[in-house]
């Protein structure tokens, strides 16, 4: 309780005028609510109490500060000090003062509750205030691990930790690796968007004392939504998509974890994709239940975003603007039922799902899209994974208008890897890759028919490199090939001039 005494205090200087004016004193204790029960009981020594002259609720270098008493150090050790945790501010001239405590970064003021933890003290001549006490409690915190979920079980595993000389802990062999450089943020208004006033924290390459490689500290008790701004290159969407964590006074969570799984070698990307409307080629990736797109500016990846998509039974077959509205649409095929759907998009938002005819023979898969009959509309390429047969669905927007058989490719090691117009005749061509030999070749097309001659492309023997897309990535009017290596977590682009490769360009992610 605040109290004040009216009586004569000892003067600090000789002037009679000063003896009249410099008479105010403020004193009290700073205590910690050590068990977070709402009652401060443990005095704190060497804590700064200050006069907040400019009212900004923080200690500035020019503002007077006073320390609470510490322990009494005498020969033979530390002896009890009845004034431990007490502060005293003397020689205050008449006036009104803002008195605050400067707690440690892991403490927060809760006494007084009014005025943001500030006492307003009005001093008159010969007046002293006692019991101006401050209470602090330990702040709350949320955090956890951002990691590569190597076995896809949704649980961070670290059974063999390794500790370095500085005490940093790292996962050992067989553990889930940490993922660094991922920005997490507190979605304070839960709108799914990072706003300027929302705090961020970047995942680091070791697990802290608190078993976290990212965290948010200095929080009030409450419920917090944690989201991620980044998706690491080569990975699908985080699991879970976001975290909701509730903490009481002084509580700290350690398990607000986010796991990522690598996009599998069967992940696909398709050409003629411009999801963000900047007239530049982007890349669509599909793995398991996740569909995402990389927004590209030439060889520079500028953004990653997850897309709404169907379940794991559905594979991504094609991506193109089927309805002619200027937005890329996605075609999914259900490998179990033979059903197919066109998901119409407005940017990254799904606006309609259109059923295509069901193909009862589930060996048939959609493997590409392009304009093969020069009508300005995208068609679908199908391949039979059992017989090696190939066919075209000529489309009229989102409606099937005709079938066109293509030559069979009995060697099932050959797979369609992409579609684009390499020879500048206005009709798209088909890129093939052999998953055993590493050979790549081009079917030059003419009005839904394969031209008799094949065009060999450069060989890539290392099967860790897969063609992830074919499009004009450097905006020079020529089709290029986008490659992805999931083992090295690298991407590169082969640029072309017609059917002649001109350069290798590393994709910056």
């Amino acid at each position: 309780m605040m109290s004040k005494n009216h009586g004569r205090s000892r003067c600090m200087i000789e002037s009679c005028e000063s003896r009249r004016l410099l008479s105010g004193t403020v004193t009290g204790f700073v205590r910690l609510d050590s068990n977070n029960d709402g009652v401060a009981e443990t005095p704190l020594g060497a804590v700064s109490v200050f006069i907040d002259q400019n009212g900004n609720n923080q200690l500035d270098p020019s503002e007077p500060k006073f320390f609470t008493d510490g322990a009494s150090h005498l020969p033979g050790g530390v002896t009890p000090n009845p004034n431990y945790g007490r502060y005293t501010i003397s020689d205050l001239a008449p006036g009104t003062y803002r008195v605050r405590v400067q707690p440690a970064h892991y403490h927060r003021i809760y006494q007084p509750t009014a005025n943001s933890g500030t006492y307003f003290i009005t001093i008159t001549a010969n007046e002293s205030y006692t019991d101006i006490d401050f209470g602090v409690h330990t702040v709350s915190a949320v955090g956890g691990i951002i990691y590569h979920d190597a076995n896809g079980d949704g649980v961070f595993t670290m059974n063999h930790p390794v500790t370095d000389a500085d005490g940093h802990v790292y996962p050992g062999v067989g553990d889930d690796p940490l993922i660094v450089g991922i920005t997490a943020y507190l979605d304070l208004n839960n709108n799914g968007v990072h706003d300027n006033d929302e705090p961020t924290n970047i995942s680091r390459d070791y697990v802290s004392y608190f078993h976290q490689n990212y965290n948010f500290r200095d929080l009030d008790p409450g419920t917090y939504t944690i989201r991620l701004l980044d998706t690491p290159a080569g990975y699908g969407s985080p699991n879970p998509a976001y975290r909701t964590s509730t903490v009481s006074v002084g509580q700290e969570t350690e398990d607000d974890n986010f796991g990522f799984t690598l996009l599998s070698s069967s992940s696909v990307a398709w050409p003629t994709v411009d999801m963000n409307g900047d007239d530049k080629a982007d890349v669509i990736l599909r793995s398991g239940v996740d569909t995402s797109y990389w927004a590209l500016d030439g060889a520079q990846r500028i953004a990653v975003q997850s897309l709404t998509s169907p379940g794991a039974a559905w594979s991504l077959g094609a991506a193109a603007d089927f309805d002619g509205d200027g937005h890329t649409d996605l075609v999914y095929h259900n490998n179990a039922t033979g059903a197919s759907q066109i998901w119409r998009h407005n940017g990254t938002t799904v606006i309609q799902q259109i059923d295509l005819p069901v193909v009862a023979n589930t060996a048939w898969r959609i493997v590409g899209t392009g304009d093969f009959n020069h009508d300005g509309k995208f068609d679908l390429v199908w391949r039979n994974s059992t017989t090696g047969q190939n066919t075209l669905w000529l489309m009229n927007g989102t409606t099937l208008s005709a079938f066109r058989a293509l030559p069979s490719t009995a060697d099932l090691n050959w797979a369609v890897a992409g579609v684009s117009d390499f020879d500048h005749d206005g009709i798209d061509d088909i890129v093939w890759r052999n998953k055993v030999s590493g050979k790549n070749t081009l079917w030059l097309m003419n009005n839904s028919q394969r031209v008799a001659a094949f065009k060999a492309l450069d060989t890539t023997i290392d099967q860790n490199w897969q063609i992830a897309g074919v499009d004009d990535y450097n905006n020079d009017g020529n089709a290029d090939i986008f490659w992805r290596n999931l083992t090295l977590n690298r991407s590169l682009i082969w640029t072309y001039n017609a059917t002649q490769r001109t350069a290798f360009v590393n994709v910056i992610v």
Side-chain angles (χ1 to χ4, degrees):
M1 177 181 294
M2 180 190 303
S3 63
K4 61 182 179 180
N5 300 320
H6 296 277
R8 184 164 300 279
S9 301
R10 173 183 290 180
C11 290
M12 301 298 290
I13 57 178
E14 294 299 324
S15 164
C16 291
E17 183 68 14
S18 295
R19 281 195 296 270
R20 186 179 69 83
L21 293 178
L22 300 182
S23 59
T25 300
V26 177
T27 185
F29 282 87
V30 178
R31 296 184 177 92
L32 170 68
D33 178 9
S34 56
N35 60 2
N36 297 316
D37 65 352
V39 178
E41 60 275 312
T42 306
L44 295 175
V47 177
S48 298
V49 177
F50 66 99
I51 297 175
D52 187 9
Q53 294 174 327
N54 58 9
N56 66 351
N57 293 340
Q58 64 184 27
L59 174 60
D60 300 310
S62 62
E63 293 175 335
K65 65 179 177 179
F66 310 85
F67 292 100
T68 59
D69 284 359
S72 299
H73 292 269
L74 297 173
V78 178
T79 61
N81 177 3
N83 289 316
Y84 185 79
R86 179 187 290 276
Y87 72 92
T88 300
I89 305 174
S90 302
D91 300 339
L92 293 173
T96 298
Y97 299 88
R98 302 182 187 90
V99 182
R100 284 184 60 85
V101 65
Q102 179 75 359
H105 72 277
Y106 48 85
H107 288 158
R108 188 181 297 280
I109 305 170
Y110 76 89
Q111 179 191 356
T113 57
N115 305 315
S116 300
T118 302
Y119 284 107
F120 284 81
I121 306 296
T122 300
I123 298 291
T124 59
N126 301 315
E127 191 169 36
S128 296
Y129 284 80
T130 61
D131 301 323
I132 308 301
D133 296 339
F134 290 95
V136 299
H137 62 66
T138 305
V139 296
S140 304
V142 297
I145 303 291
I146 299 175
Y147 66 100
H148 168 203
D149 188 2
N151 61 3
D153 65 354
V155 178
F156 174 62
T157 302
M158 191 169 71
N159 297 321
H160 314 93
V162 176
T163 304
D164 68 10
D166 296 323
H168 297 153
V169 181
Y170 300 84
V173 176
D175 297 335
D176 287 335
L178 305 178
I179 297 179
V180 303
I182 302 300
T183 302
Y185 72 97
L186 294 183
D187 191 1
L188 300 178
N189 57 7
N190 203 23
N191 66 350
V193 177
H194 178 236
D195 301 309
N196 291 333
D197 61 342
E198 292 175 335
T200 61
N201 191 258
I202 299 176
S203 62
R204 49 196 178 273
D205 63 349
Y206 62 89
V207 181
S208 70
Y209 172 79
F210 302 101
H211 205 236
Q212 305 159 337
N213 75 334
Y214 85 94
N215 57 44
F216 296 90
R217 309 191 65 76
D218 200 26
L219 300 179
D220 288 321
T223 299
Y224 297 90
T225 298
I226 310 167
R227 301 182 189 271
L228 303 184
L229 282 177
D230 311 309
T231 297
Y235 289 83
S237 301
N239 179 25
Y242 63 91
R243 287 280 188 183
T244 300
S245 188
T246 300
V247 285
S248 58
V249 175
Q251 183 184 6
E252 178 163 338
T253 63
E254 298 180 355
D255 56 357
D256 293 316
N257 300 336
F258 292 90
F260 286 94
T261 55
L262 280 168
L263 293 170
S264 68
S265 59
S266 62
S267 299
V268 293
W270 293 100
T272 59
V273 174
D274 179 19
M275 296 298 293
N276 57 358
D278 63 356
D279 293 326
K280 296 177 181 178
D282 302 323
V283 173
I284 297 288
L285 295 159
R286 172 76 170 164
S287 177
V289 298
D290 295 316
T291 303
S292 61
Y293 92 95
W294 289 8
L296 299 179
D297 185 355
Q300 175 87 41
R301 191 187 74 181
I302 57 177
V304 176
Q305 183 171 339
S306 296
L307 303 175
T308 302
S309 60
W314 295 79
S315 60
L316 177 62
D321 180 12
F322 286 90
D323 56 4
D325 66 351
H327 298 283
T328 296
D329 309 308
L330 303 183
V331 182
Y332 291 99
H333 179 72
N334 191 307
N335 302 323
T337 66
S340 300
Q341 290 183 335
I342 296 178
W343 285 38
R344 293 183 57 226
H345 277 73
N346 182 354
T348 58
T349 301
V350 179
I351 58 175
Q352 187 182 12
Q353 299 171 19
I354 300 174
D355 290 325
L356 294 175
V358 174
V359 179
N361 184 348
T362 57
W364 284 98
R365 304 293 169 83
I366 301 172
V367 293
T369 183
D371 181 6
F372 294 99
N373 57 355
H374 212 330
D375 65 352
K377 297 176 181 178
F378 287 97
D379 309 309
L380 295 174
V381 184
W382 289 77
R383 177 160 171 74
N384 190 301
S385 60
T386 301
T387 66
Q389 292 173 286
N390 306 295
T391 193
L392 290 176
W393 279 16
L394 301 180
M395 303 291 292
N396 182 8
T398 59
T399 303
L400 171 64
S401 63
F403 299 92
R404 186 83 75 236
L406 293 175
S408 296
T409 307
D411 185 351
L412 300 181
N413 291 319
W414 285 97
V416 174
V419 177
S420 196
D421 182 9
F422 279 79
D423 56 0
H424 302 296
D425 65 352
I427 296 175
D428 283 318
D429 309 305
I430 301 176
V431 178
W432 292 78
R433 175 160 172 75
N434 191 299
K435 63 183 180 182
V436 174
S437 68
K439 292 181 179 180
N440 306 292
T441 192
L442 186 65
W443 279 13
L444 297 176
M445 303 293 291
N446 183 9
N447 196 24
S448 308
Q449 298 294 324
R450 187 187 70 186
V451 175
F454 290 82
K455 175 64 181 178
L457 301 175
D458 299 87
T459 297
T460 306
I461 297 175
D462 185 353
Q463 290 298 323
N464 289 315
W465 287 98
Q466 296 294 321
I467 295 177
V470 181
D471 204 341
D472 179 11
Y473 294 100
N474 58 355
N475 296 312
D476 68 350
N478 291 286
D480 309 309
I481 297 179
F482 186 103
W483 291 86
R484 183 88 182 106
N485 188 311
L486 294 177
T487 302
L488 299 177
N489 197 22
R490 285 184 55 202
S491 304
L492 60 82
I493 294 172
W494 285 4
T495 61
Y496 279 82
N497 182 1
T499 58
Q500 183 66 43
R501 190 181 67 190
T502 58
F504 300 84
V505 182
N506 284 312
V507 177
I508 302 172
V509 298

